[in-house]
Amino acid sequence: MSINHKEIMKLAELARIQLNDETIKETTKSITDVLCLIDQLGAEKTNDIQPMAHPTDAFQCLRADEVTESDQRQTFQNLAPLAENGLYLVPKVID
Amino acid sequence: MEWEIVIGLEVHVQLATKSKIFSGSSTTFGSKPNTQASALDLGMPGTLPTPNEEAFRQAIMFGLAINADIEKCSIFERKNYFYPDLPKGYQTTQLEKPIVRSGNIVIELSDGTRKSIRIHHAHLEEDAGKSLHEEFQEMTGIDFNRAGTPLIEIVSEPDLSSAEEATLFAKKLYGIVTSLGICDGEMAQGSMRFDVNVSIRKPGGTLGTRTETKNLNSFRFMEDAIDIEVQRQIDLIEDGKKVVQETRLFNGETKKSKSLRSKEEANDYRYFPCPDLLPVIIEDEYIEEIRRTLPELPEAKLKRFKEQYSLSNYDANILSSDQLLGQYFEVVAKKSGDAKIAANWILGELLARLNSTGLTITLCPIKSEDLAEMICRILDNTISGKMAKEVFDGMWKGDGNADSIISSRGLKQVSDSSVIESLVIHIIKINPNQVDDYLKAEEAKRSKMLGYFVGQVMKASKGQANPKQVNKILRGQLNKLINNIEL
């Protein structure tokens, strides 16, 4: 199994990353290598095996429905490039 | 040409938990912007989500209420896309193993037939923040208070075939989630939002291309959006054009829709299991415990209201379809002791007022106890039905409770028969011509003619005489004249 130039470009666009021609070649090759590795699984019969969602056998603990967080808006907004009237500001999003 | 309409709904329901699905932030609506957005809700590095048990419990309640299968090993996936109200760059949601699968909801159509609508699944996920486009020039303001609010997204099969059916289904769903107490039902605050998938086809033909209209937050908007979209698709096809698979936005005010994005350039969400969250195991015992404590559902309530209060199917249906309205009705019915009159006032005057002012029953200015008190005063003949309208009006405006309005406005009805009798005799004496006509008329015509005298007596009493008694006494006195008995 391999991945082509066009598919890498699409993934890059979806992930909002810019790749130059050199990096595209490199990325295409390394992802193809990973896919080939996965192809080896085809040699085994996996019909009866449940897809794995997590590498450990552990299960999730749940928490009780309680409010434990307090308002830390000021602390967080000090980190933001722009904030006004309590809102985080971003370049205009046109719907 | 005849067209068959195919509709599927995706409904987002905000669950009524105190805290968010993955963090301990409060979910209270209407707080100051970003005061309920913790490091986790903001997607800060180094934070780890822990799911809220109550969100699972409520999702399972919903699953049991619609006869669905509950997934014993449920997992979370990441749905990747970029939008400023989604700070992590992905929404934590469920895809492969949603908590609820394969249920159904029965709707009753206007002709009385029942139709079962299949639910493909319902999954747990987090809500996004809110973008505010209006307040700033060239900038968008983001409030993350809503980010992480637990949602269940309920996905129906495309079993609905008209806007009317879709609305019936949505209202039924509303009744279920509010009866279960898993959603506050405040639609204006976005507690329940609909996405509608619509396509048309020739009867029995293959499915047409569908469009999705997103984020409709009222039954009316949803109905309008479907009607408009169906007509748009019919016009396109009958003009020889094609329907493009796309997401559309509907403006409830202008009743127009526009294309948001077409699917060719649509997001490819690249779902994968969330490595931060382990599979959630749901034990049979836990499910059974929830099943045992399920509250009464609208279907059962409808049946009970018909039996216990002798309501018509129509009245019982409206009162049982909204948990809070049903609760309000039961208080009024029990405290007043007359369910039929209680239902009449609620379904008539009260709902009309709520609808015209856009209020929900939770914000109703008249408390159920006060309406019950007013009905008691009608039943004990203190006030007439007409006076009750004035009392109702006063209570709606916040002038006080029924008794205080009755006394402050001097609305007491006169039920003293000797007082009414003297009024009646007076009216008979000053209207000799009308009385003559009455006596000469045939019996069948007399009841109609009686209305004139009743009106005169009521007027003479300044509207305070008990109309039932006036009627009775008038008849008695006029009968005496018919039988030549002196008044």
Side-chain angles (χ1 to χ4, degrees):
Chain A
M1 196 179 177
S2 66
I3 190 162
N4 62 32
H5 184 272
K6 209 175 139 194
E7 287 165 325
I8 291 290
M9 293 287 283
K10 176 157 191 239
L11 281 175
E13 194 202 325
L14 289 170
R16 305 285 193 276
I17 50 175
Q18 230 172 10
L19 297 178
N20 61 32
D21 286 350
E22 193 51 38
T23 335
I24 291 175
K25 268 187 213 155
E26 223 172 89
T27 313
T28 310
K29 189 184 172 305
S30 46
I31 292 185
T32 301
D33 285 350
V34 173
L35 291 174
C36 288
L37 191 68
I38 292 167
D39 270 349
Q40 289 181 22
L41 286 174
E44 290 295 327
K45 274 196 179 161
T46 52
N47 299 359
D48 300 333
I49 296 175
Q50 282 284 318
M52 185 178 70
H54 209 277
T56 71
D57 287 334
F59 296 115
Q60 183 65 50
C61 291
L62 304 177
R63 46 170 256 279
D65 182 26
E66 281 162 12
V67 176
T68 52
E69 294 287 339
S70 55
D71 173 21
Q72 294 186 69
R73 182 172 82 181
Q74 204 46 57
T75 314
F76 294 134
Q77 294 204 332
N78 288 340
L79 302 169
L82 272 175
E84 205 178 303
N85 299 340
L87 297 164
Y88 292 90
L89 295 192
V90 297
K92 187 127 193 133
V93 182
I94 314 280
D95 263 331
Chain B
M1 194 185 289
E2 279 284 307
W3 291 99
E4 196 173 282
I5 304 163
V6 181
I7 303 166
L9 289 190
E10 289 166 24
V11 186
H12 287 93
V13 173
Q14 280 185 346
L15 295 177
T17 58
K18 294 197 275 287
S19 67
K20 293 188 178 175
I21 185 165
F22 298 121
S23 83
S25 302
S26 167
T27 53
T28 308
F29 180 85
S31 305
K32 284 185 184 156
N34 290 305
T35 53
Q36 292 173 180
S38 68
L40 187 125
D41 307 320
L42 293 171
M44 295 285 184
T47 54
L48 204 57
T50 318
N52 184 341
E53 184 197 337
E54 182 62 18
F56 272 88
R57 204 181 64 84
Q58 295 187 3
I60 294 168
M61 284 173 84
F62 175 73
L64 295 175
I66 62 160
N67 300 311
D69 299 328
I70 307 299
E71 176 63 58
K72 307 281 171 54
C73 174
S74 186
I75 61 170
F76 283 104
E77 269 100 350
R78 291 184 176 183
K79 177 184 180 179
N80 300 279
Y81 65 93
F82 289 104
Y83 205 76
D85 63 18
L86 189 78
K88 292 182 301 191
Y90 59 84
Q91 180 191 31
T92 307
T93 178
Q94 300 192 298
L95 181 74
E96 291 292 330
K97 290 186 160 192
I99 182 73
V100 171
R101 242 195 263 261
S102 311
N104 66 80
I105 289 176
V106 177
I107 56 172
E108 194 177 302
L109 307 180
S110 51
D111 65 1
T113 53
R114 288 162 70 81
K115 183 172 175 183
S116 176
I117 309 299
R118 292 168 300 155
I119 303 296
H120 180 269
H121 76 270
H123 64 257
L124 275 165
E125 63 182 23
E126 57 183 343
D127 210 341
K130 228 174 176 172
S131 304
L132 300 150
H133 303 289
E134 317 301 329
E135 286 179 43
F136 307 92
Q137 277 198 335
E138 303 306 315
M139 298 300 260
T140 294
I142 317 276
D143 176 6
F144 290 110
N145 280 352
R146 198 180 68 177
T149 297
L151 298 174
I152 45 170
E153 180 177 336
I154 301 157
V155 181
S156 86
E157 296 284 1
D159 290 349
L160 299 154
S161 29
S162 67
E164 189 208 350
E165 283 185 18
T167 309
L168 286 169
F169 172 79
K171 286 185 175 167
K172 194 72 188 268
L173 199 56
Y174 180 91
I176 294 172
V177 296
T178 53
S179 297
L180 290 171
I182 65 171
C183 176
D184 66 14
E186 297 293 346
M187 310 229 339
Q189 298 174 3
S191 294
M192 201 168 168
R193 315 189 295 262
F194 307 98
D195 300 345
V196 291
N197 289 297
V198 177
S199 67
I200 57 168
R201 65 174 170 190
K202 288 178 188 151
T206 49
L207 281 174
T209 307
R210 68 185 163 96
T211 62
E212 182 177 24
T213 306
K214 277 180 120 50
N215 255 328
L216 303 157
N217 68 351
S218 80
F219 299 124
R220 168 51 54 84
F221 286 173
M222 188 188 73
E223 197 165 348
D224 289 347
I226 293 172
D227 282 335
I228 281 167
E229 182 54 19
V230 166
Q231 199 50 53
R232 193 188 69 88
Q233 293 188 11
I234 292 175
D235 291 347
L236 274 175
I237 293 176
E238 292 188 346
D239 279 357
K241 294 175 188 152
K242 275 189 174 163
V243 175
V244 183
Q245 188 178 352
E246 63 185 354
T247 302
R248 300 186 66 84
L249 264 193
F250 176 75
N251 183 328
E253 305 304 322
T254 61
K255 308 250 172 278
K256 281 185 179 146
S257 73
K258 64 173 186 191
S259 176
L260 187 63
R261 55 173 182 248
S262 69
K263 279 279 178 187
E264 294 114 274
E265 53 178 299
N267 288 306
D268 173 345
Y269 294 120
R270 293 152 295 137
Y271 281 93
F272 63 89
C274 180
D276 284 350
L277 290 159
L278 296 160
V280 177
I281 301 298
I282 306 291
E283 309 277 357
D284 283 330
E285 247 171 66
Y286 184 69
I287 297 173
E288 288 317 307
E289 184 200 314
I290 294 173
R291 195 194 301 277
R292 277 196 300 275
T293 53
L294 276 187
E296 184 181 40
L297 288 164
E299 200 80 9
K301 191 174 282 176
L302 170 71
K303 196 164 166 262
R304 180 168 67 83
F305 277 10
K306 286 202 280 192
E307 289 168 5
Q308 186 178 342
Y309 300 113
S310 308
L311 296 181
S312 69
N313 188 56
Y314 180 83
D315 289 359
N317 204 5
I318 300 177
L319 293 169
S320 63
S321 62
D322 180 332
Q323 156 72 4
L324 295 167
L325 189 65
Q327 217 169 13
Y328 189 99
F329 161 72
E330 289 207 84
V331 174
V332 182
K334 282 184 182 145
K335 296 220 160 171
S336 68
D338 193 319
K340 187 63 202 149
I341 295 182
N344 286 346
W345 276 93
I346 292 169
L347 296 173
E349 207 72 24
L350 191 81
L351 279 189
R353 293 278 178 122
L354 290 172
N355 286 340
S356 67
T357 48
L359 293 176
T360 53
I361 191 79
T362 35
L363 297 171
C364 177
I366 301 179
K367 281 197 231 118
S368 49
E369 290 81 3
D370 291 340
L371 186 61
E373 181 187 283
M374 185 197 88
I375 292 171
C376 288
R377 295 294 90 82
I378 302 173
L379 293 170
D380 67 14
N381 287 322
T382 306
I383 52 171
S384 65
K386 203 174 167 193
M387 289 172 183
K389 288 218 163 125
E390 199 179 329
V391 174
F392 184 92
D393 205 54
M395 292 197 296
W396 183 272
K397 288 181 188 145
D399 294 348
N401 61 18
D403 282 342
S404 70
I405 292 170
I406 290 167
S407 77
S408 70
R409 299 194 191 178
L411 284 174
K412 288 214 169 131
Q413 178 171 247
V414 176
S415 296
D416 182 335
S417 47
S418 62
V419 176
I420 295 176
E421 194 176 296
S422 62
L423 277 172
V424 165
I425 293 172
H426 172 69
I427 292 300
I428 289 176
K429 289 201 167 138
I430 62 168
N431 288 288
N433 296 340
Q434 282 84 350
V435 172
D436 220 36
D437 289 347
Y438 182 90
L439 297 179
K440 284 181 198 151
E442 291 165 31
E443 184 57 36
K445 283 190 178 165
R446 280 182 182 152
S447 354
K448 243 187 180 175
M449 297 169 81
L450 195 71
Y452 170 79
F453 300 106
V454 174
Q456 293 299 307
V457 177
M458 290 307 290
K459 205 170 154 190
S461 77
K462 298 193 181 75
Q464 296 192 330
N466 179 338
K468 269 190 206 153
Q469 268 177 294
V470 171
N471 232 295
K472 195 174 146 210
I473 295 171
L474 248 174
R475 266 184 199 281
Q477 295 298 330
L478 289 166
N479 276 342
K480 280 189 192 168
L481 291 178
I482 293 169
N483 298 320
N484 287 318
I485 302 168
E486 197 69 26
L487 295 188

